[in-house]
Amino acid sequence: MGLKAVHFGGGNIGRGFVAEKLHLAGYEVVFVDVMDSIIDQLQKTKEYTVTEIGGEGEKVNKITNYRAINSKTHEADVIEEISTADLVTCAVGPNILKFIAPVIGKAIDKRTAPKPLAVIACENAIGATDTLAGFIKDSKNTPQGRLDSIHERASFANSAIDRIVPGQDPNAGLNIKIESFYEWVVDKNPFAKEGHPEISAIKWVDDLNPYIERKLFTVNTGHAAAAYYGYARGKRTIHDALQDPEINKNVYECLSETSHLIVKKHGIAVDEQKAYVEKIVKRISNPYLEDVVERVGRAPLRKLSRKERFVGPASQLVESGDKVDALLGAIEQTFAFLDVKDDEESAELSKILKSTEAKDVVGKVCGLEESHPLFSKIVPIVEKVQKSKK
C-alpha cells in the first residue's frame, strides 16, 4: 500500500505548496475542505498544474493522484481516511484550527496502525501544530482516558513554511502560479522513536525556533510593511511599492530592527542575516509575481496581534531597551489599513477604532498589558489614526 497524506485546505498554499511537495514525494493526497466549489473542482478534475516562477524562468509541475472529500457532508469518510493515513497536514489559517480538530481527534482515536500518524500544521503562525494538538486533546475531541496513550497514535510536529503565492488569475481553475523559492522546516524531535516521514522538500531540524522567528520577522515583517506603506501611497503591487525610495527605506529599517533581535537572540551571524534580508527583499520585489498590496495586507487584526510580525519583535526589542521606531511606523500603517474591499478584518478594525478608546484598542488588538513598555508607545499611534479618520 502506498503512502497517503490527508491535507486540510484546498486553497492556494494547500494545492500549490503542500500538496505539490507531497505529490513529488510519492504521496497520494486526500484534500479535505468545506468549500463546495473547491471540492467539486478537485473531484471532477484529475490533474492540475503548479507553475513555479523564478528569475530563471518558469517550471510547470503536473499534480495527479489525489482525491477530495467535503468534511461538512462526509465527516465519516474523512475519519476513515485519516485513520489509515501516514500524514495529516493543514493550511487553513490559524483561526480555523479549532474547527478541524474534532474530526482529526476522532480519527486519531480510531487508529490501530502500528506507526503513529504524523501531524504537521503548515500555517503562518508560531507553534501552529501545538495549537492544533491542544484543540485535538481537548476533552470535547478526545476522551480524557485516551490522552495518556495518544502518543502511540499520533506525533505532532511544529513547522515553519515560506513561499509566496501571489493573487491568481480568476479563470485559472485549480492551476496555481507560485514563486519557485520555498522553505519548509519541521521539528524532527517528535519522530525520534519512529523516524520522520520521508519528504525531500522538508528540512528536518532539532530546534525550530530560530527558523520560525527568522522567517516571521523577516519575510512576513518585510512583506507586510511593504504592503501597508504601499497601500497608503496608492501603489498597486509589492514590486511597485519597493520601487519607491521612501517605502524601500522604511522596509529596510524595519528589517534592520528585526535583524538585530534575530542575531542577538538566536546567534545567527550578522552577515548571514544581512544576506537573508537581501534575498527576501529581492523575492518579494519580483515583478512577475504581481503581488497586490491589498492581498498581502489583508487580515490586519491578526497581523497586529501579540506574537505576530510587528508587535512580536517590537515587544521583545523594547524589553531590552532596543530601538523600535521603524516597527512602530509599520504598526501605524497597519492600523490605517481600514475598510478595504473584501477584507472583513479591515472593516472590523475600523469599527473597533471608532467605538473603543485607544488604550483598550491596544489591549484588545495587540494583546499588550498596560505595564508592558511597548504599550505606551502604541497608544499615541492609535490616537493619531483615530483622529485622522474622524
Side-chain angles (χ1 to χ4, degrees), residues 38 43 50 65 96 98 117 124-125 137 156 183 196 260 267 270 274 276 297 323 336 361 369 379:
I38 288 284
Q43 288 176 341
V50 175
N65 192 28
I96 306 300
K98 60 178 173 281
L117 175 73
N124 255 331
K137 293 173 184 178
F156 300 92
E183 191 171 57
H196 61 68
H260 178 69
V270 172
K274 186 176 180 182
Y276 183 69
K323 185 168 79 72
V361 171
E369 311 79 27
V379 170

Side-chain angles (χ1 to χ4, degrees), residues 120-123 125-129 157-161 184-187 208 212:
I120 305 171
C122 307
E123 308 289 350
I126 293 173
T129 307
N158 285 313
S159 76
I161 60 164
W184 188 2
V185 188
V186 181
D187 181 2
L208 190 62
I212 291 177

Side-chain angles (χ1 to χ4, degrees), residues 287-322:
Y288 300 108
L289 287 175
E290 285 286 304
D291 218 359
V292 179
V293 296
E294 288 86 354
R295 186 201 73 82
V296 179
R298 68 187 175 198
L301 283 173
R302 177 169 64 84
K303 289 166 184 172
L304 283 166
S305 63
R306 182 68 172 79
K307 293 182 179 180
E308 266 284 348
R309 60 206 70 194
F310 298 131
V311 176
S315 63
Q316 295 183 56
L317 284 164
V318 81
E319 284 169 9
S320 55
D322 290 311

Side-chain angles (χ1 to χ4, degrees), residues 5-6 20 28-29 58 72 74 94 99 108 118-119 197 221 258 269 274 285 296 320-321 323 328 339 345 366 380 390:
V6 176
E20 179 205 33
E28 177 193 24
V29 178
E58 295 186 354
K72 186 172 56 180
H74 292 76
F99 298 114
I108 289 172
V119 180
T221 300
T258 58
K274 186 176 180 182
S285 302
V296 179
S320 55
K323 185 168 79 72
L328 288 172
D339 297 313
E345 285 198 15
C366 302
K390 282 184 179 178

Side-chain angles (χ1 to χ4, degrees), residues 2 50 66 78-79 92 107 123 163 172 213 253-254 355 359 377:
V50 175
Y66 60 82
V78 177
I79 291 170
V92 293
E123 308 289 350
R163 201 175 201 184
E213 288 208 334
E253 286 175 347
C254 283
S355 63
K359 283 187 175 183
K377 294 180 182 293

Side-chain angles (χ1 to χ4, degrees), residues 263-282:
V263 167
K264 184 170 68 170
K265 183 175 179 181
H266 297 297
I268 294 171
V270 172
D271 288 346
E272 182 185 338
Q273 176 61 18
K274 186 176 180 182
Y276 183 69
V277 166
E278 291 300 329
K279 179 172 71 174
I280 296 313
V281 174
K282 183 179 179 182

Side-chain angles (χ1 to χ4, degrees), residues 301 348 352 355-356 359-368 375:
L301 283 173
E348 179 62 24
I352 291 170
S355 63
T356 313
K359 283 187 175 183
D360 295 328
V361 171
V362 177
K364 179 176 183 177
V365 173
C366 302
L368 290 167
F375 186 94

